[in-house]
Amino acid sequence: MTRLHFASALLPTGWASNVQVLVTDRTIAAVTAGVAPDTADERHQIAVPGLASLHSHAFQRGMAGLAELRGNTTDTFWTWRETMYRFALEMTPDNVTDVATLLYVEMLEQGFTRVGEFHYLHHDRDGSLYANPAEMAGRIAQAAEAAGIGLTLLPSFYAHGGFGGAAPHAGQRRFICSVDQFADLVTASREIVSRLPGANVGIAPHSLRAVTPDELAAIIPLAGADPIHIHGAEQVREVEDCLAWSGQRPVAWLLDHAPVDRRWCLIHATHMIEQEVTALAGSGAVAGLCPVTEASLGDGIFPAREFLDAGGRFGIGTDSNVLVGVADELRQLEYGQRLKHRERNVLSAGPGASTGRALFDGALLGGARALAQSTAGLQPGARADIVTLDLAHPSLAARRDDAVIDGWIFAAGSGAIDCIWAGGSKVVEGGRHRLRSRARERFNATVRRLVA
């Protein structure tokens, strides 16, 4: 049993003082507030729950910063994608392991204790199948286990290069599956993940441009009660192409033709009209927002205020992993709304309420739902994912309760984190993951080969 004591901790009921947390078998066994520390307790000042990055493409961490040269045409998501394809086509299974391991180390150092890995790099470099259909998925699981991060593996079904079943792009050859191949991949992924404590598997039809209606209907039963994630309405061109194909916008098409419910997470959903905002909020699905990547790619700004006013639920993801951090994603989410509405504290819960706390609570609950975690936060039965913050950081000094969250998100950033427990194991201490040096060395060696 691990015994922890916090002078202050954010519980599902709010802030509490003198909180003892007992951890057994990777799970929080008991939480008791208002008690003095026992001699056997490890003591810390302030604790909050770890959050989930509900949307990640791990291999893209290796190309972070390599697509910042302006081309001969207007640079958009679609030109960035060509750089991504070139990078993806070069990666070996060992490369994927090295890149994903460092990414997950960095996620843990930045306050993410679980990742939803939207995994579509399935096949060998020429597009041929590996003998093990889940070879690359196994490398993701290996990296997650090494780093200690909780894993929701989301094998992605990708069959086409555009709406209506268009032939795939040559750069997509490592992604492409038939329905039967995908079923085998999901089965093999579940076998791999069954050996990883606390891990689970969902499915991820990549997008309506990559999956036909018949294929979508065929793979949805593979999910059962597990998560279903899909990209949607990320780009204006995507919306225009979907209208040309179906007469409907992507989110509206999904809500009308797929069984969208609490299992679903629509990634981005950036470009929605009012009716779609209201309908998506009412469906119970989570909007998977990746504000840093959406800003990096010039996607646009999600209608967050309208979605939350309609009762919608959101989580945050790191997507392309060009920058990794809980504070970075939540700050960018709020700042995007400030730029859009030309107001401050747009996503606060109301007068006098902390904006940082509203963002944090929303991401905690939405991330848990999107990754099928039935219990979230510092409470009995939840996975023991705990973040402690360093009150000696200048941006946290003299602050307490919600003001600490605001200081972390809007001022301190990554430097505020002290320790992280993931599944009850202390993987970060003094802001440093136990594998940081080794993971960086292997990552750097891999990237030197890839960009040479």
Side-chain angles (χ1 to χ4, degrees):
M1 178 179 288
T2 299
R3 304 170 62 97
L4 305 171
H5 189 278
F6 308 107
S8 180
L10 181 57
L11 308 182
T13 53
W15 289 100
S17 299
N18 291 312
V19 177
Q20 184 188 64
V21 176
L22 304 182
V23 177
T24 305
D25 296 329
R26 305 181 181 87
T27 301
I28 295 176
V31 177
T32 307
V35 296
D38 187 270
T39 55
D41 293 345
E42 181 177 338
R43 303 182 195 184
H44 294 269
Q45 284 297 305
I46 190 162
V48 298
L51 294 190
S53 170
L54 57 66
H55 186 68
S56 165
H57 304 305
F59 77 91
Q60 292 178 18
R61 173 64 182 88
M63 58 170 282
L66 293 178
E68 304 304 323
L69 296 175
R70 188 177 182 90
N72 295 326
T73 60
T74 301
D75 275 332
T76 65
F77 164 84
W78 307 99
T79 53
W80 169 89
R81 192 174 70 159
E82 296 304 314
T83 301
M84 182 269 287
Y85 287 161
R86 290 194 296 272
F87 194 84
L89 290 175
E90 296 300 319
M91 298 189 78
T92 68
D94 285 346
N95 295 158
V96 169
T97 304
D98 294 341
V99 170
T101 299
L102 178 67
L103 170 64
Y104 297 157
V105 163
E106 292 175 333
M107 284 186 176
L108 285 160
E109 289 185 339
Q110 303 301 322
F112 291 114
T113 51
R114 188 171 198 91
V115 60
E117 185 58 44
F118 194 114
H119 172 66
Y120 58 85
L121 191 59
H122 301 313
H123 309 314
D124 209 340
R125 285 178 284 188
D126 62 358
S128 62
L129 275 62
Y130 289 109
N132 172 8
E135 173 67 33
M136 288 295 212
R139 298 309 186 102
I140 294 295
Q142 180 182 338
E145 184 175 27
I149 200 166
L151 176 65
T152 296
L153 182 61
L154 299 160
S156 180
F157 180 78
Y158 204 127
H160 304 285
F163 289 96
H169 185 294
Q172 298 166 337
R173 61 182 178 266
R174 302 191 74 174
F175 316 156
I176 303 303
C177 287
S178 69
V179 169
D180 288 343
Q181 288 169 343
F182 184 68
D184 291 342
L185 172 61
V186 172
T187 298
S189 295
R190 287 191 169 126
E191 173 61 26
I192 288 167
V193 161
S194 69
R195 301 189 287 271
L196 198 60
N200 61 332
V201 174
I203 66 167
H206 180 272
S207 58
L208 289 179
R209 67 177 187 271
V211 180
T212 65
D214 287 347
E215 290 163 343
L216 183 62
I219 66 171
I220 285 173
L222 297 174
D226 293 319
I228 303 171
H229 288 215
I230 186 169
H231 293 107
E234 179 179 3
Q235 290 284 326
V236 170
R237 185 178 121 184
E238 177 188 354
V239 175
E240 293 171 345
D241 289 351
C242 190
L243 282 164
W245 162 67
S246 69
Q248 287 187 287
R249 303 167 66 86
V251 173
W253 192 97
L254 281 168
L255 292 169
D256 283 350
H257 296 89
V260 177
D261 57 18
R262 292 170 59 94
R263 296 173 300 162
W264 287 66
C265 180
L266 270 64
I267 305 300
H268 306 305
T270 306
H271 300 286
M272 294 190 289
I273 58 176
E274 182 179 354
Q275 297 94 316
E276 291 174 302
V277 169
T278 302
L280 180 60
S283 73
V286 173
L289 309 181
C290 307
V292 170
T293 292
E294 290 153 8
S296 171
L297 298 180
D299 288 344
I301 298 174
F302 178 79
R305 180 161 71 179
E306 297 81 359
F307 185 68
L308 295 179
D309 286 347
R313 181 154 289 181
F314 75 91
I316 56 170
T318 52
D319 196 350
S320 68
N321 298 300
V322 67
L323 179 67
V324 177
V326 165
D328 298 296
E329 296 294 345
L330 294 178
R331 184 189 321 112
Q332 182 66 41
L333 175 56
E334 168 66 20
Y335 280 2
Q337 299 302 305
R338 295 184 187 192
L339 290 168
K340 177 181 179 181
H341 296 287
R342 289 174 289 176
E343 300 175 13
R344 298 193 71 253
N345 296 307
V346 176
L347 301 182
S348 170
S354 158
T355 300
R357 174 68 184 281
L359 294 166
F360 188 88
D361 286 352
L364 174 66
L365 296 176
R369 178 183 290 186
L371 302 185
Q373 303 302 295
S374 58
T375 307
L378 304 183
Q379 60 178 313
R383 187 173 186 264
D385 292 340
I386 305 168
V387 176
T388 63
L389 300 173
D390 179 9
L391 294 184
H393 189 287
S395 294
L396 303 188
R399 291 164 172 82
R400 62 189 303 272
D401 299 346
D402 288 351
V404 174
I405 301 290
D406 289 332
W408 174 27
I409 293 171
F410 294 107
S414 61
I417 291 176
D418 183 15
C419 297
I420 305 279
W421 288 260
S425 178
K426 192 177 187 181
V427 293
V428 173
E429 187 166 12
R432 186 182 182 93
H433 193 285
R434 62 194 181 195
L435 292 183
R436 180 198 282 185
S437 295
R438 183 165 23 132
R440 283 187 175 184
E441 288 172 4
R442 296 183 67 88
F443 174 92
N444 289 348
T446 280
V447 171
R448 288 187 191 104
R449 290 193 294 271
L450 291 171
V451 302

